[in-house]
Amino acid sequence: MDITLKFTAQIKDVVGKASDTVTANDGTNLQQLLTNLGGIYGERFKAILFDEKGAYRHSNLIVINQSQVNYEDNVTLADGMEITLMSPISGG
Amino acid sequence: MKQLTAEELATYEWQLDVPDHGVEGQERLKNSTVLVSRCGGLGSVVAYELAAAGVGTLILAHAGNVKPSDLNRQLLMTHDWLGKPRVESAERRLKELNPRLNIISVPENINEANAERLVGMADVIVDAAPLFEERFLMNREAVKQGKPLVDCAMYELEAQITTIVPGETACLSCLYPEQPVAWKRRFPVFGAVSGTIACLGAIEAIKLISGFGTPLTNRLLTMNMRTMDIQTIGIKQRKGCTVCGS
Ligand SMILES: [Zn+2]
């Protein structure tokens, strides 16, 4: 199945683009996807999303269908889903 | 509550016509105090719009002197004030626009020593600080003291805003429970981007004080001005939030 990804701020900067489409196996959940994305987008991406011990950094927001979802909720992904990963911004 | 003078009735004539605002809403603005921190690209325009709208008292917290690199966006700072205190420049410019405005200038950024007192003096807080440490302090005090806080932020051509009402909404620490690791003090910015989200912040503060419209509670409005995509994201309280959780 295809998942559309959108990125903002520092996550967008390390990925190098604002959106992407990735293919995932049926039944993949959110946590598996985010772990797999580390393999696609590299160490700097991984360092924003996960700490040294591999724990998710909760200040990065995950948005699905215009609603925030928690990493722990670990939703099962569906074909055509759009997931936005937002790193926190504070510019004034 | 102080009533409007004849001069004020004339000045605000066109906004008195806004449905659900009127003379009563304008009197509420006149009798209100808003804390704006800091007065950079975002806070300058928030303060300017609130001064124009007739908010009675502004508390402006911003340390340091005006630098050349402020002048692309910090619209209350001017070339002739280079090297002199930012809050003085801001006060002078705001008084040119609205000489009736009462300004409490604080030549400091929000810190552990002043946050409780400054938040305590305000009815509404507009948070426009470039460091998360300052934002988290204002959020903590706003939640503790039950004061609404409008949190506006930008980065490059992206911007976002949410309105935090303690007891009703997610707070900033629900949104960001841990210190963000990727944020850097220097960020790419056009004044038109910080100014755009600043105007949204100002109208949120005006709505909260006057009491009309629907605030951006439990919603995060995000704008990408590179593509002009705008969306509103549902956000929620975080169980076990160390600031607003039970
Ligand atoms: Zn909270």
Side-chain angles (χ1 to χ4, degrees), chain B residues 7-29:
Chain B
E7 185 197 5
E8 287 165 333
L9 285 167
T11 303
Y12 304 114
E13 198 172 40
W14 286 37
Q15 74 191 40
L16 293 176
D17 293 346
V18 173
D20 306 323
H21 177 60
V23 170
E24 284 181 11
Q26 193 61 43
E27 282 179 348
R28 283 193 280 272
L29 289 181

Side-chain angles (χ1 to χ4, degrees), chain B residues 160-231:
Chain B
Q160 66 181 42
I161 174 171
T162 186
T163 293
I164 295 164
V165 178
E168 289 179 31
T169 69
C171 79
L172 195 65
S173 290
C174 291
L175 210 54
Y176 306 133
E178 297 151 5
Q179 180 66 36
V181 291
W183 182 252
K184 293 191 184 69
R185 172 66 187 86
R186 179 167 163 176
F187 48 88
V189 50
F190 275 111
V193 176
S194 46
T196 298
I197 202 71
C199 286
L200 299 189
I203 197 63
E204 279 295 281
I206 289 166
K207 282 158 55 187
L208 287 168
I209 297 162
S210 174
F212 67 88
T214 308
L216 262 171
T217 46
N218 287 314
R219 294 179 293 155
L220 180 72
L221 185 145
T222 68
M223 309 179 78
N224 180 343
M225 290 178 227
R226 197 173 279 274
T227 56
M228 289 301 178
D229 284 331
I230 299 172
Q231 64 170 331

Side-chain angles (χ1 to χ4, degrees), chain A residues 7-10 12-13 47-48 56-59 61 63 66-70 72-73 84 86 88-92, chain B residues 41-42 128-132 135 153-156 158 175-178 180-183 187 231-236:
Chain A
F7 312 107
T8 72
Q10 276 79 25
K12 180 189 72 183
D13 292 346
I48 292 181
Y56 186 71
R57 297 189 194 273
H58 291 89
S59 292
L61 304 185
V63 178
Q66 302 213 333
S67 288
Q68 181 191 4
V69 301
N70 290 331
E72 304 77 57
D73 294 345
T84 304
M86 301 176 62
I89 61 173
S90 177
Chain B
L42 216 161
L131 295 175
F132 277 103
R135 289 182 184 262
M154 56 71 54
Y155 173 78
E156 201 229 289
E158 298 170 7
L175 210 54
Y176 306 133
E178 297 151 5
V181 291
W183 182 252
F187 48 88
Q231 64 170 331
T232 307
I233 296 161
I235 56 176
K236 50 192 177 184

Side-chain angles (χ1 to χ4, degrees), chain B residues 37-132:
Chain B
S37 167
R38 304 180 194 183
C39 291
L42 216 161
S44 275
V45 177
V46 171
Y48 204 60
E49 289 291 357
L50 295 180
V55 164
T57 303
L58 290 180
I59 306 167
L60 309 175
H62 198 152
N65 296 331
V66 179
K67 294 192 295 191
S69 62
D70 296 343
L71 300 180
N72 79 319
R73 65 192 185 284
Q74 302 190 12
L75 297 188
L76 296 180
M77 313 305 161
T78 52
H79 191 269
D80 62 341
W81 219 259
L82 284 169
K84 293 190 263 186
R86 290 188 176 114
V87 282
E88 285 179 15
S89 185
E91 181 162 3
R92 189 183 49 125
R93 292 265 281 163
L94 293 168
K95 289 276 196 183
E96 282 170 7
L97 173 68
N98 179 355
R100 301 170 301 279
L101 179 65
N102 178 33
I103 299 176
I104 300 168
S105 292
V106 182
E108 301 165 8
N109 299 323
I110 295 291
N111 57 50
E112 192 66 64
N114 65 22
E116 182 179 8
R117 181 174 54 88
L118 295 178
V119 167
M121 291 159 67
D123 301 307
V124 174
I125 299 102
V126 183
D127 179 1
L131 295 175
F132 277 103

